[in-house]
Amino acid sequence: GKDGINGVPGVNGTKGEQGPPGKDCSIGDRHFKECAWRLSTHTDTGLLKDCKFNKSKTDSYLMVSITSNIRQGKAQACSRWFVTFDGNECSPYPIDHVYYRNTANDDYIPFTMKGVCKINKSGVVSVGFNVGVCQG
């Protein structure tokens, strides 16, 4: 505590055995890759950034998690941020975030968007972060 005295240092323990070799970027059968970037753009539609992944199995899923700040700068406007895989959205359930703003002030919104998509191929998959207008 605040008025306590420092204790005597402890004795170091014995060194443990060497563990088995691991594989880079994997935990069991799960493989991870992180893409990060700084992006400042006034793009209203289209691909913002993409990241390439190498899938080893044709019947596996990709899990996507995006954390960012988004900006809706127009009054009475609706924007949609969404993920594509090799240029196509996940079907039947897209991974997206929709925001409608009614006021005239700029809104900067922190958000996290997550989802999984089964990609029926192996090899390189381009995962894209996109923006567009809302439907309807």
Side-chain angles (χ1 to χ4, degrees), residues 35-63:
C35 294
W37 56 82
R38 292 187 185 271
L39 176 66
S40 178
T41 181
H42 294 286
T43 301
D44 291 333
T45 59
L47 179 66
L48 298 172
K49 278 293 195 180
D50 72 335
C51 188
K52 308 251 188 287
F53 291 83
N54 192 17
K55 282 183 74 243
S56 59
K57 298 180 180 179
T58 59
D59 61 347
S60 62
Y61 289 76
L62 285 178
M63 184 177 88

mmCIF file with all atom_site columns, all heavy atoms in Angstrom, residues 35-63:
data_model
loop_
_atom_site.group_PDB
_atom_site.id
_atom_site.type_symbol
_atom_site.label_atom_id
_atom_site.label_alt_id
_atom_site.label_comp_id
_atom_site.label_asym_id
_atom_site.label_entity_id
_atom_site.label_seq_id
_atom_site.pdbx_PDB_ins_code
_atom_site.Cartn_x
_atom_site.Cartn_y
_atom_site.Cartn_z
_atom_site.occupancy
_atom_site.B_iso_or_equiv
_atom_site.pdbx_formal_charge
_atom_site.auth_seq_id
_atom_site.auth_comp_id
_atom_site.auth_asym_id
_atom_site.auth_atom_id
_atom_site.pdbx_PDB_model_num
ATOM 1   N N   . CYS A 1 35 ? -4.795  -6.730  -41.382 1.00 0.00 ? 35 CYS A N   1
ATOM 2   C CA  . CYS A 1 35 ? -4.447  -5.641  -42.287 1.00 0.00 ? 35 CYS A CA  1
ATOM 3   C C   . CYS A 1 35 ? -4.838  -4.345  -41.581 1.00 0.00 ? 35 CYS A C   1
ATOM 4   O O   . CYS A 1 35 ? -5.940  -4.250  -41.042 1.00 0.00 ? 35 CYS A O   1
ATOM 5   C CB  . CYS A 1 35 ? -5.215  -5.748  -43.598 1.00 0.00 ? 35 CYS A CB  1
ATOM 6   S SG  . CYS A 1 35 ? -4.762  -7.191  -44.564 1.00 0.00 ? 35 CYS A SG  1
ATOM 7   N N   . ALA A 1 36 ? -3.960  -3.395  -41.584 1.00 0.00 ? 36 ALA A N   1
ATOM 8   C CA  . ALA A 1 36 ? -4.248  -2.119  -40.937 1.00 0.00 ? 36 ALA A CA  1
ATOM 9   C C   . ALA A 1 36 ? -3.733  -0.996  -41.820 1.00 0.00 ? 36 ALA A C   1
ATOM 10  O O   . ALA A 1 36 ? -2.721  -1.148  -42.505 1.00 0.00 ? 36 ALA A O   1
ATOM 11  C CB  . ALA A 1 36 ? -3.580  -2.063  -39.562 1.00 0.00 ? 36 ALA A CB  1
ATOM 12  N N   . TRP A 1 37 ? -4.433  0.111   -41.813 1.00 0.00 ? 37 TRP A N   1
ATOM 13  C CA  . TRP A 1 37 ? -4.017  1.259   -42.606 1.00 0.00 ? 37 TRP A CA  1
ATOM 14  C C   . TRP A 1 37 ? -4.634  2.520   -42.036 1.00 0.00 ? 37 TRP A C   1
ATOM 15  O O   . TRP A 1 37 ? -5.609  2.487   -41.303 1.00 0.00 ? 37 TRP A O   1
ATOM 16  C CB  . TRP A 1 37 ? -4.407  1.088   -44.079 1.00 0.00 ? 37 TRP A CB  1
ATOM 17  C CG  . TRP A 1 37 ? -5.870  0.844   -44.296 1.00 0.00 ? 37 TRP A CG  1
ATOM 18  C CD1 . TRP A 1 37 ? -6.865  1.777   -44.343 1.00 0.00 ? 37 TRP A CD1 1
ATOM 19  C CD2 . TRP A 1 37 ? -6.516  -0.412  -44.478 1.00 0.00 ? 37 TRP A CD2 1
ATOM 20  N NE1 . TRP A 1 37 ? -8.077  1.176   -44.543 1.00 0.00 ? 37 TRP A NE1 1
ATOM 21  C CE2 . TRP A 1 37 ? -7.900  -0.162  -44.632 1.00 0.00 ? 37 TRP A CE2 1
ATOM 22  C CE3 . TRP A 1 37 ? -6.065  -1.728  -44.535 1.00 0.00 ? 37 TRP A CE3 1
ATOM 23  C CZ2 . TRP A 1 37 ? -8.835  -1.179  -44.836 1.00 0.00 ? 37 TRP A CZ2 1
ATOM 24  C CZ3 . TRP A 1 37 ? -7.001  -2.722  -44.734 1.00 0.00 ? 37 TRP A CZ3 1
ATOM 25  C CH2 . TRP A 1 37 ? -8.361  -2.455  -44.887 1.00 0.00 ? 37 TRP A CH2 1
ATOM 26  N N   . ARG A 1 38 ? -4.051  3.633   -42.381 1.00 0.00 ? 38 ARG A N   1
ATOM 27  C CA  . ARG A 1 38 ? -4.626  4.949   -42.086 1.00 0.00 ? 38 ARG A CA  1
ATOM 28  C C   . ARG A 1 38 ? -5.233  5.444   -43.388 1.00 0.00 ? 38 ARG A C   1
ATOM 29  O O   . ARG A 1 38 ? -4.567  5.485   -44.405 1.00 0.00 ? 38 ARG A O   1
ATOM 30  C CB  . ARG A 1 38 ? -3.572  5.924   -41.595 1.00 0.00 ? 38 ARG A CB  1
ATOM 31  C CG  . ARG A 1 38 ? -3.021  5.572   -40.249 1.00 0.00 ? 38 ARG A CG  1
ATOM 32  C CD  . ARG A 1 38 ? -2.109  6.684   -39.743 1.00 0.00 ? 38 ARG A CD  1
ATOM 33  N NE  . ARG A 1 38 ? -1.483  6.286   -38.507 1.00 0.00 ? 38 ARG A NE  1
ATOM 34  C CZ  . ARG A 1 38 ? -2.013  6.490   -37.306 1.00 0.00 ? 38 ARG A CZ  1
ATOM 35  N NH1 . ARG A 1 38 ? -3.170  7.092   -37.214 1.00 0.00 ? 38 ARG A NH1 1
ATOM 36  N NH2 . ARG A 1 38 ? -1.392  6.100   -36.222 1.00 0.00 ? 38 ARG A NH2 1
ATOM 37  N N   . LEU A 1 39 ? -6.489  5.824   -43.315 1.00 0.00 ? 39 LEU A N   1
ATOM 38  C CA  . LEU A 1 39 ? -7.193  6.226   -44.529 1.00 0.00 ? 39 LEU A CA  1
ATOM 39  C C   . LEU A 1 39 ? -8.002  7.475   -44.247 1.00 0.00 ? 39 LEU A C   1
ATOM 40  O O   . LEU A 1 39 ? -8.778  7.524   -43.296 1.00 0.00 ? 39 LEU A O   1
ATOM 41  C CB  . LEU A 1 39 ? -8.121  5.092   -44.989 1.00 0.00 ? 39 LEU A CB  1
ATOM 42  C CG  . LEU A 1 39 ? -9.004  5.377   -46.198 1.00 0.00 ? 39 LEU A CG  1
ATOM 43  C CD1 . LEU A 1 39 ? -8.135  5.561   -47.435 1.00 0.00 ? 39 LEU A CD1 1
ATOM 44  C CD2 . LEU A 1 39 ? -9.979  4.244   -46.397 1.00 0.00 ? 39 LEU A CD2 1
ATOM 45  N N   . SER A 1 40 ? -7.796  8.495   -45.036 1.00 0.00 ? 40 SER A N   1
ATOM 46  C CA  . SER A 1 40 ? -8.601  9.703   -44.959 1.00 0.00 ? 40 SER A CA  1
ATOM 47  C C   . SER A 1 40 ? -9.026  10.015  -46.386 1.00 0.00 ? 40 SER A C   1
ATOM 48  O O   . SER A 1 40 ? -8.197  10.326  -47.237 1.00 0.00 ? 40 SER A O   1
ATOM 49  C CB  . SER A 1 40 ? -7.783  10.866  -44.371 1.00 0.00 ? 40 SER A CB  1
ATOM 50  O OG  . SER A 1 40 ? -8.572  12.031  -44.350 1.00 0.00 ? 40 SER A OG  1
ATOM 51  N N   . THR A 1 41 ? -10.320 9.882   -46.650 1.00 0.00 ? 41 THR A N   1
ATOM 52  C CA  . THR A 1 41 ? -10.811 10.063  -48.006 1.00 0.00 ? 41 THR A CA  1
ATOM 53  C C   . THR A 1 41 ? -12.204 10.677  -47.983 1.00 0.00 ? 41 THR A C   1
ATOM 54  O O   . THR A 1 41 ? -12.919 10.575  -46.987 1.00 0.00 ? 41 THR A O   1
ATOM 55  C CB  . THR A 1 41 ? -10.832 8.726   -48.764 1.00 0.00 ? 41 THR A CB  1
ATOM 56  O OG1 . THR A 1 41 ? -11.300 8.955   -50.089 1.00 0.00 ? 41 THR A OG1 1
ATOM 57  C CG2 . THR A 1 41 ? -11.731 7.711   -48.084 1.00 0.00 ? 41 THR A CG2 1
ATOM 58  N N   . HIS A 1 42 ? -12.561 11.317  -49.055 1.00 0.00 ? 42 HIS A N   1
ATOM 59  C CA  . HIS A 1 42 ? -13.911 11.857  -49.219 1.00 0.00 ? 42 HIS A CA  1
ATOM 60  C C   . HIS A 1 42 ? -14.693 11.034  -50.240 1.00 0.00 ? 42 HIS A C   1
ATOM 61  O O   . HIS A 1 42 ? -15.659 11.500  -50.811 1.00 0.00 ? 42 HIS A O   1
ATOM 62  C CB  . HIS A 1 42 ? -13.851 13.336  -49.641 1.00 0.00 ? 42 HIS A CB  1
ATOM 63  C CG  . HIS A 1 42 ? -13.279 14.214  -48.572 1.00 0.00 ? 42 HIS A CG  1
ATOM 64  N ND1 . HIS A 1 42 ? -13.983 14.561  -47.445 1.00 0.00 ? 42 HIS A ND1 1
ATOM 65  C CD2 . HIS A 1 42 ? -12.063 14.770  -48.441 1.00 0.00 ? 42 HIS A CD2 1
ATOM 66  C CE1 . HIS A 1 42 ? -13.230 15.319  -46.675 1.00 0.00 ? 42 HIS A CE1 1
ATOM 67  N NE2 . HIS A 1 42 ? -12.054 15.452  -47.260 1.00 0.00 ? 42 HIS A NE2 1
ATOM 68  N N   . THR A 1 43 ? -14.273 9.799   -50.457 1.00 0.00 ? 43 THR A N   1
ATOM 69  C CA  . THR A 1 43 ? -14.930 8.914   -51.409 1.00 0.00 ? 43 THR A CA  1
ATOM 70  C C   . THR A 1 43 ? -16.325 8.565   -50.918 1.00 0.00 ? 43 THR A C   1
ATOM 71  O O   . THR A 1 43 ? -16.509 8.166   -49.770 1.00 0.00 ? 43 THR A O   1
ATOM 72  C CB  . THR A 1 43 ? -14.105 7.622   -51.586 1.00 0.00 ? 43 THR A CB  1
ATOM 73  O OG1 . THR A 1 43 ? -12.813 7.988   -52.054 1.00 0.00 ? 43 THR A OG1 1
ATOM 74  C CG2 . THR A 1 43 ? -14.764 6.674   -52.558 1.00 0.00 ? 43 THR A CG2 1
ATOM 75  N N   . ASP A 1 44 ? -17.328 8.712   -51.788 1.00 0.00 ? 44 ASP A N   1
ATOM 76  C CA  . ASP A 1 44 ? -18.716 8.391   -51.445 1.00 0.00 ? 44 ASP A CA  1
ATOM 77  C C   . ASP A 1 44 ? -19.130 7.007   -51.922 1.00 0.00 ? 44 ASP A C   1
ATOM 78  O O   . ASP A 1 44 ? -20.052 6.414   -51.375 1.00 0.00 ? 44 ASP A O   1
ATOM 79  C CB  . ASP A 1 44 ? -19.673 9.412   -52.054 1.00 0.00 ? 44 ASP A CB  1
ATOM 80  C CG  . ASP A 1 44 ? -19.549 10.776  -51.408 1.00 0.00 ? 44 ASP A CG  1
ATOM 81  O OD1 . ASP A 1 44 ? -19.158 10.845  -50.231 1.00 0.00 ? 44 ASP A OD1 1
ATOM 82  O OD2 . ASP A 1 44 ? -19.846 11.778  -52.083 1.00 0.00 ? 44 ASP A OD2 1
ATOM 83  N N   . THR A 1 45 ? -18.476 6.501   -52.967 1.00 0.00 ? 45 THR A N   1
ATOM 84  C CA  . THR A 1 45 ? -18.811 5.178   -53.492 1.00 0.00 ? 45 THR A CA  1
ATOM 85  C C   . THR A 1 45 ? -17.543 4.479   -53.960 1.00 0.00 ? 45 THR A C   1
ATOM 86  O O   . THR A 1 45 ? -16.619 5.121   -54.451 1.00 0.00 ? 45 THR A O   1
ATOM 87  C CB  . THR A 1 45 ? -19.795 5.252   -54.684 1.00 0.00 ? 45 THR A CB  1
ATOM 88  O OG1 . THR A 1 45 ? -19.207 6.028   -55.729 1.00 0.00 ? 45 THR A OG1 1
ATOM 89  C CG2 . THR A 1 45 ? -21.115 5.862   -54.273 1.00 0.00 ? 45 THR A CG2 1
ATOM 90  N N   . GLY A 1 46 ? -17.533 3.158   -53.791 1.00 0.00 ? 46 GLY A N   1
ATOM 91  C CA  . GLY A 1 46 ? -16.434 2.366   -54.326 1.00 0.00 ? 46 GLY A CA  1
ATOM 92  C C   . GLY A 1 46 ? -15.577 1.724   -53.258 1.00 0.00 ? 46 GLY A C   1
ATOM 93  O O   . GLY A 1 46 ? -15.843 1.804   -52.053 1.00 0.00 ? 46 GLY A O   1
ATOM 94  N N   . LEU A 1 47 ? -14.532 1.063   -53.726 1.00 0.00 ? 47 LEU A N   1
ATOM 95  C CA  . LEU A 1 47 ? -13.592 0.361   -52.868 1.00 0.00 ? 47 LEU A CA  1
ATOM 96  C C   . LEU A 1 47 ? -12.720 1.369   -52.120 1.00 0.00 ? 47 LEU A C   1
ATOM 97  O O   . LEU A 1 47 ? -12.113 2.245   -52.732 1.00 0.00 ? 47 LEU A O   1
ATOM 98  C CB  . LEU A 1 47 ? -12.717 -0.570  -53.719 1.00 0.00 ? 47 LEU A CB  1
ATOM 99  C CG  . LEU A 1 47 ? -11.652 -1.366  -52.995 1.00 0.00 ? 47 LEU A CG  1
ATOM 100 C CD1 . LEU A 1 47 ? -12.283 -2.385  -52.059 1.00 0.00 ? 47 LEU A CD1 1
ATOM 101 C CD2 . LEU A 1 47 ? -10.735 -2.043  -53.997 1.00 0.00 ? 47 LEU A CD2 1
ATOM 102 N N   . LEU A 1 48 ? -12.659 1.241   -50.790 1.00 0.00 ? 48 LEU A N   1
ATOM 103 C CA  . LEU A 1 48 ? -11.796 2.101   -49.988 1.00 0.00 ? 48 LEU A CA  1
ATOM 104 C C   . LEU A 1 48 ? -10.415 1.473   -49.823 1.00 0.00 ? 48 LEU A C   1
ATOM 105 O O   . LEU A 1 48 ? -9.409  2.127   -50.021 1.00 0.00 ? 48 LEU A O   1
ATOM 106 C CB  . LEU A 1 48 ? -12.426 2.354   -48.619 1.00 0.00 ? 48 LEU A CB  1
ATOM 107 C CG  . LEU A 1 48 ? -13.772 3.070   -48.648 1.00 0.00 ? 48 LEU A CG  1
ATOM 108 C CD1 . LEU A 1 48 ? -14.397 3.094   -47.260 1.00 0.00 ? 48 LEU A CD1 1
ATOM 109 C CD2 . LEU A 1 48 ? -13.609 4.477   -49.197 1.00 0.00 ? 48 LEU A CD2 1
ATOM 110 N N   . LYS A 1 49 ? -10.374 0.212   -49.456 1.00 0.00 ? 49 LYS A N   1
ATOM 111 C CA  . LYS A 1 49 ? -9.120  -0.521  -49.280 1.00 0.00 ? 49 LYS A CA  1
ATOM 112 C C   . LYS A 1 49 ? -9.397  -2.000  -49.467 1.00 0.00 ? 49 LYS A C   1
ATOM 113 O O   . LYS A 1 49 ? -10.523 -2.466  -49.279 1.00 0.00 ? 49 LYS A O   1
ATOM 114 C CB  . LYS A 1 49 ? -8.550  -0.321  -47.878 1.00 0.00 ? 49 LYS A CB  1
ATOM 115 C CG  . LYS A 1 49 ? -7.773  0.948   -47.683 1.00 0.00 ? 49 LYS A CG  1
ATOM 116 C CD  . LYS A 1 49 ? -6.524  0.911   -48.489 1.00 0.00 ? 49 LYS A CD  1
ATOM 117 C CE  . LYS A 1 49 ? -5.551  1.979   -48.069 1.00 0.00 ? 49 LYS A CE  1
ATOM 118 N NZ  . LYS A 1 49 ? -4.339  1.964   -48.833 1.00 0.00 ? 49 LYS A NZ  1
ATOM 119 N N   . ASP A 1 50 ? -8.363  -2.753  -49.814 1.00 0.00 ? 50 ASP A N   1
ATOM 120 C CA  . ASP A 1 50 ? -8.507  -4.202  -49.859 1.00 0.00 ? 50 ASP A CA  1
ATOM 121 C C   . ASP A 1 50 ? -7.270  -4.862  -49.259 1.00 0.00 ? 50 ASP A C   1
ATOM 122 O O   . ASP A 1 50 ? -6.236  -4.230  -49.096 1.00 0.00 ? 50 ASP A O   1
ATOM 123 C CB  . ASP A 1 50 ? -8.791  -4.718  -51.260 1.00 0.00 ? 50 ASP A CB  1
ATOM 124 C CG  . ASP A 1 50 ? -7.595  -4.630  -52.183 1.00 0.00 ? 50 ASP A CG  1
ATOM 125 O OD1 . ASP A 1 50 ? -6.716  -3.786  -51.947 1.00 0.00 ? 50 ASP A OD1 1
ATOM 126 O OD2 . ASP A 1 50 ? -7.534  -5.397  -53.150 1.00 0.00 ? 50 ASP A OD2 1
ATOM 127 N N   . CYS A 1 51 ? -7.438  -6.108  -48.906 1.00 0.00 ? 51 CYS A N   1
ATOM 128 C CA  . CYS A 1 51 ? -6.386  -6.879  -48.265 1.00 0.00 ? 51 CYS A CA  1
ATOM 129 C C   . CYS A 1 51 ? -6.465  -8.297  -48.815 1.00 0.00 ? 51 CYS A C   1
ATOM 130 O O   . CYS A 1 51 ? -7.555  -8.866  -48.929 1.00 0.00 ? 51 CYS A O   1
ATOM 131 C CB  . CYS A 1 51 ? -6.621  -6.865  -46.756 1.00 0.00 ? 51 CYS A CB  1
ATOM 132 S SG  . CYS A 1 51 ? -5.291  -7.585  -45.802 1.00 0.00 ? 51 CYS A SG  1
ATOM 133 N N   . LYS A 1 52 ? -5.344  -8.867  -49.167 1.00 0.00 ? 52 LYS A N   1
ATOM 134 C CA  . LYS A 1 52 ? -5.314  -10.195 -49.777 1.00 0.00 ? 52 LYS A CA  1
ATOM 135 C C   . LYS A 1 52 ? -5.033  -11.263 -48.720 1.00 0.00 ? 52 LYS A C   1
ATOM 136 O O   . LYS A 1 52 ? -4.156  -11.100 -47.882 1.00 0.00 ? 52 LYS A O   1
ATOM 137 C CB  . LYS A 1 52 ? -4.244  -10.244 -50.855 1.00 0.00 ? 52 LYS A CB  1
ATOM 138 C CG  . LYS A 1 52 ? -4.372  -9.115  -51.872 1.00 0.00 ? 52 LYS A CG  1
ATOM 139 C CD  . LYS A 1 52 ? -4.819  -9.616  -53.183 1.00 0.00 ? 52 LYS A CD  1
ATOM 140 C CE  . LYS A 1 52 ? -4.776  -8.576  -54.273 1.00 0.00 ? 52 LYS A CE  1
ATOM 141 N NZ  . LYS A 1 52 ? -5.779  -7.569  -54.226 1.00 0.00 ? 52 LYS A NZ  1
ATOM 142 N N   . PHE A 1 53 ? -5.804  -12.337 -48.768 1.00 0.00 ? 53 PHE A N   1
ATOM 143 C CA  . PHE A 1 53 ? -5.656  -13.473 -47.867 1.00 0.00 ? 53 PHE A CA  1
ATOM 144 C C   . PHE A 1 53 ? -5.420  -14.722 -48.696 1.00 0.00 ? 53 PHE A C   1
ATOM 145 O O   . PHE A 1 53 ? -5.956  -14.851 -49.785 1.00 0.00 ? 53 PHE A O   1
ATOM 146 C CB  . PHE A 1 53 ? -6.919  -13.669 -47.020 1.00 0.00 ? 53 PHE A CB  1
ATOM 147 C CG  . PHE A 1 53 ? -7.129  -12.583 -46.012 1.00 0.00 ? 53 PHE A CG  1
ATOM 148 C CD1 . PHE A 1 53 ? -7.730  -11.395 -46.367 1.00 0.00 ? 53 PHE A CD1 1
ATOM 149 C CD2 . PHE A 1 53 ? -6.712  -12.758 -44.715 1.00 0.00 ? 53 PHE A CD2 1
ATOM 150 C CE1 . PHE A 1 53 ? -7.922  -10.387 -45.442 1.00 0.00 ? 53 PHE A CE1 1
ATOM 151 C CE2 . PHE A 1 53 ? -6.898  -11.764 -43.773 1.00 0.00 ? 53 PHE A CE2 1
ATOM 152 C CZ  . PHE A 1 53 ? -7.501  -10.580 -44.148 1.00 0.00 ? 53 PHE A CZ  1
ATOM 153 N N   . ASN A 1 54 ? -4.681  -15.660 -48.148 1.00 0.00 ? 54 ASN A N   1
ATOM 154 C CA  . ASN A 1 54 ? -4.438  -16.926 -48.828 1.00 0.00 ? 54 ASN A CA  1
ATOM 155 C C   . ASN A 1 54 ? -5.178  -18.029 -48.072 1.00 0.00 ? 54 ASN A C   1
ATOM 156 O O   . ASN A 1 54 ? -4.783  -18.398 -46.969 1.00 0.00 ? 54 ASN A O   1
ATOM 157 C CB  . ASN A 1 54 ? -2.942  -17.220 -48.903 1.00 0.00 ? 54 ASN A CB  1
ATOM 158 C CG  . ASN A 1 54 ? -2.642  -18.360 -49.837 1.00 0.00 ? 54 ASN A CG  1
ATOM 159 O OD1 . ASN A 1 54 ? -3.465  -18.738 -50.655 1.00 0.00 ? 54 ASN A OD1 1
ATOM 160 N ND2 . ASN A 1 54 ? -1.453  -18.920 -49.723 1.00 0.00 ? 54 ASN A ND2 1
ATOM 161 N N   . LYS A 1 55 ? -6.261  -18.542 -48.666 1.00 0.00 ? 55 LYS A N   1
ATOM 162 C CA  . LYS A 1 55 ? -7.047  -19.617 -48.054 1.00 0.00 ? 55 LYS A CA  1
ATOM 163 C C   . LYS A 1 55 ? -6.462  -20.955 -48.464 1.00 0.00 ? 55 LYS A C   1
ATOM 164 O O   . LYS A 1 55 ? -6.195  -21.203 -49.625 1.00 0.00 ? 55 LYS A O   1
ATOM 165 C CB  . LYS A 1 55 ? -8.509  -19.546 -48.524 1.00 0.00 ? 55 LYS A CB  1
ATOM 166 C CG  . LYS A 1 55 ? -9.313  -18.474 -47.820 1.00 0.00 ? 55 LYS A CG  1
ATOM 167 C CD  . LYS A 1 55 ? -10.760 -18.512 -48.277 1.00 0.00 ? 55 LYS A CD  1
ATOM 168 C CE  . LYS A 1 55 ? -11.483 -19.682 -47.703 1.00 0.00 ? 55 LYS A CE  1
ATOM 169 N NZ  . LYS A 1 55 ? -11.990 -20.665 -48.598 1.00 0.00 ? 55 LYS A NZ  1
ATOM 170 N N   . SER A 1 56 ? -6.339  -21.861 -47.488 1.00 0.00 ? 56 SER A N   1
ATOM 171 C CA  . SER A 1 56 ? -5.778  -23.175 -47.797 1.00 0.00 ? 56 SER A CA  1
ATOM 172 C C   . SER A 1 56 ? -6.855  -24.208 -48.107 1.00 0.00 ? 56 SER A C   1
ATOM 173 O O   . SER A 1 56 ? -6.556  -25.241 -48.686 1.00 0.00 ? 56 SER A O   1
ATOM 174 C CB  . SER A 1 56 ? -4.905  -23.658 -46.640 1.00 0.00 ? 56 SER A CB  1
ATOM 175 O OG  . SER A 1 56 ? -5.669  -23.733 -45.452 1.00 0.00 ? 56 SER A OG  1
ATOM 176 N N   . LYS A 1 57 ? -8.113  -23.946 -47.730 1.00 0.00 ? 57 LYS A N   1
ATOM 177 C CA  . LYS A 1 57 ? -9.180  -24.923 -47.942 1.00 0.00 ? 57 LYS A CA  1
ATOM 178 C C   . LYS A 1 57 ? -10.322 -24.305 -48.740 1.00 0.00 ? 57 LYS A C   1
ATOM 179 O O   . LYS A 1 57 ? -10.635 -23.125 -48.583 1.00 0.00 ? 57 LYS A O   1
ATOM 180 C CB  . LYS A 1 57 ? -9.712  -25.422 -46.602 1.00 0.00 ? 57 LYS A CB  1
ATOM 181 C CG  . LYS A 1 57 ? -8.678  -26.132 -45.765 1.00 0.00 ? 57 LYS A CG  1
ATOM 182 C CD  . LYS A 1 57 ? -9.272  -26.583 -44.459 1.00 0.00 ? 57 LYS A CD  1
ATOM 183 C CE  . LYS A 1 57 ? -8.229  -27.296 -43.611 1.00 0.00 ? 57 LYS A CE  1
ATOM 184 N NZ  . LYS A 1 57 ? -8.782  -27.726 -42.331 1.00 0.00 ? 57 LYS A NZ  1
ATOM 185 N N   . THR A 1 58 ? -10.963 -25.120 -49.561 1.00 0.00 ? 58 THR A N   1
ATOM 186 C CA  . THR A 1 58 ? -12.079 -24.614 -50.365 1.00 0.00 ? 58 THR A CA  1
ATOM 187 C C   . THR A 1 58 ? -13.378 -24.505 -49.580 1.00 0.00 ? 58 THR A C   1
ATOM 188 O O   . THR A 1 58 ? -14.269 -23.774 -49.973 1.00 0.00 ? 58 THR A O   1
ATOM 189 C CB  . THR A 1 58 ? -12.338 -25.525 -51.588 1.00 0.00 ? 58 THR A CB  1
ATOM 190 O OG1 . THR A 1 58 ? -12.632 -26.842 -51.120 1.00 0.00 ? 58 THR A OG1 1
ATOM 191 C CG2 . THR A 1 58 ? -11.147 -25.542 -52.512 1.00 0.00 ? 58 THR A CG2 1
ATOM 192 N N   . ASP A 1 59 ? -13.494 -25.227 -48.469 1.00 0.00 ? 59 ASP A N   1
ATOM 193 C CA  . ASP A 1 59 ? -14.765 -25.240 -47.736 1.00 0.00 ? 59 ASP A CA  1
ATOM 194 C C   . ASP A 1 59 ? -14.700 -24.481 -46.415 1.00 0.00 ? 59 ASP A C   1
ATOM 195 O O   . ASP A 1 59 ? -15.448 -24.761 -45.492 1.00 0.00 ? 59 ASP A O   1
ATOM 196 C CB  . ASP A 1 59 ? -15.212 -26.681 -47.478 1.00 0.00 ? 59 ASP A CB  1
ATOM 197 C CG  . ASP A 1 59 ? -14.211 -27.461 -46.634 1.00 0.00 ? 59 ASP A CG  1
ATOM 198 O OD1 . ASP A 1 59 ? -13.068 -26.980 -46.462 1.00 0.00 ? 59 ASP A OD1 1
ATOM 199 O OD2 . ASP A 1 59 ? -14.577 -28.538 -46.142 1.00 0.00 ? 59 ASP A OD2 1
ATOM 200 N N   . SER A 1 60 ? -13.825 -23.504 -46.304 1.00 0.00 ? 60 SER A N   1
ATOM 201 C CA  . SER A 1 60 ? -13.675 -22.761 -45.056 1.00 0.00 ? 60 SER A CA  1
ATOM 202 C C   . SER A 1 60 ? -14.342 -21.391 -45.141 1.00 0.00 ? 60 SER A C   1
ATOM 203 O O   . SER A 1 60 ? -14.705 -20.915 -46.206 1.00 0.00 ? 60 SER A O   1
ATOM 204 C CB  . SER A 1 60 ? -12.195 -22.607 -44.696 1.00 0.00 ? 60 SER A CB  1
ATOM 205 O OG  . SER A 1 60 ? -11.532 -21.875 -45.697 1.00 0.00 ? 60 SER A OG  1
ATOM 206 N N   . TYR A 1 61 ? -14.489 -20.789 -43.992 1.00 0.00 ? 61 TYR A N   1
ATOM 207 C CA  . TYR A 1 61 ? -15.083 -19.464 -43.868 1.00 0.00 ? 61 TYR A CA  1
ATOM 208 C C   . TYR A 1 61 ? -13.996 -18.440 -43.607 1.00 0.00 ? 61 TYR A C   1
ATOM 209 O O   . TYR A 1 61 ? -12.946 -18.756 -43.061 1.00 0.00 ? 61 TYR A O   1
ATOM 210 C CB  . TYR A 1 61 ? -16.059 -19.431 -42.689 1.00 0.00 ? 61 TYR A CB  1
ATOM 211 C CG  . TYR A 1 61 ? -17.330 -20.206 -42.916 1.00 0.00 ? 61 TYR A CG  1
ATOM 212 C CD1 . TYR A 1 61 ? -17.350 -21.595 -42.855 1.00 0.00 ? 61 TYR A CD1 1
ATOM 213 C CD2 . TYR A 1 61 ? -18.515 -19.544 -43.181 1.00 0.00 ? 61 TYR A CD2 1
ATOM 214 C CE1 . TYR A 1 61 ? -18.521 -22.299 -43.053 1.00 0.00 ? 61 TYR A CE1 1
ATOM 215 C CE2 . TYR A 1 61 ? -19.704 -20.243 -43.371 1.00 0.00 ? 61 TYR A CE2 1
ATOM 216 C CZ  . TYR A 1 61 ? -19.694 -21.626 -43.309 1.00 0.00 ? 61 TYR A CZ  1
ATOM 217 O OH  . TYR A 1 61 ? -20.856 -22.311 -43.503 1.00 0.00 ? 61 TYR A OH  1
ATOM 218 N N   . LEU A 1 62 ? -14.281 -17.195 -43.969 1.00 0.00 ? 62 LEU A N   1
ATOM 219 C CA  . LEU A 1 62 ? -13.432 -16.073 -43.569 1.00 0.00 ? 62 LEU A CA  1
ATOM 220 C C   . LEU A 1 62 ? -14.225 -15.234 -42.580 1.00 0.00 ? 62 LEU A C   1
ATOM 221 O O   . LEU A 1 62 ? -15.394 -14.922 -42.817 1.00 0.00 ? 62 LEU A O   1
ATOM 222 C CB  . LEU A 1 62 ? -13.042 -15.208 -44.762 1.00 0.00 ? 62 LEU A CB  1
ATOM 223 C CG  . LEU A 1 62 ? -11.989 -15.778 -45.695 1.00 0.00 ? 62 LEU A CG  1
ATOM 224 C CD1 . LEU A 1 62 ? -11.740 -14.835 -46.864 1.00 0.00 ? 62 LEU A CD1 1
ATOM 225 C CD2 . LEU A 1 62 ? -10.688 -16.020 -44.953 1.00 0.00 ? 62 LEU A CD2 1
ATOM 226 N N   . MET A 1 63 ? -13.598 -14.892 -41.462 1.00 0.00 ? 63 MET A N   1
ATOM 227 C CA  . MET A 1 63 ? -14.203 -13.991 -40.496 1.00 0.00 ? 63 MET A CA  1
ATOM 228 C C   . MET A 1 63 ? -13.565 -12.623 -40.665 1.00 0.00 ? 63 MET A C   1
ATOM 229 O O   . MET A 1 63 ? -12.334 -12.515 -40.728 1.00 0.00 ? 63 MET A O   1
ATOM 230 C CB  . MET A 1 63 ? -13.995 -14.472 -39.069 1.00 0.00 ? 63 MET A CB  1
ATOM 231 C CG  . MET A 1 63 ? -14.713 -13.588 -38.071 1.00 0.00 ? 63 MET A CG  1
ATOM 232 S SD  . MET A 1 63 ? -14.551 -14.168 -36.384 1.00 0.00 ? 63 MET A SD  1
ATOM 233 C CE  . MET A 1 63 ? -13.041 -13.359 -35.912 1.00 0.00 ? 63 MET A CE  1
#
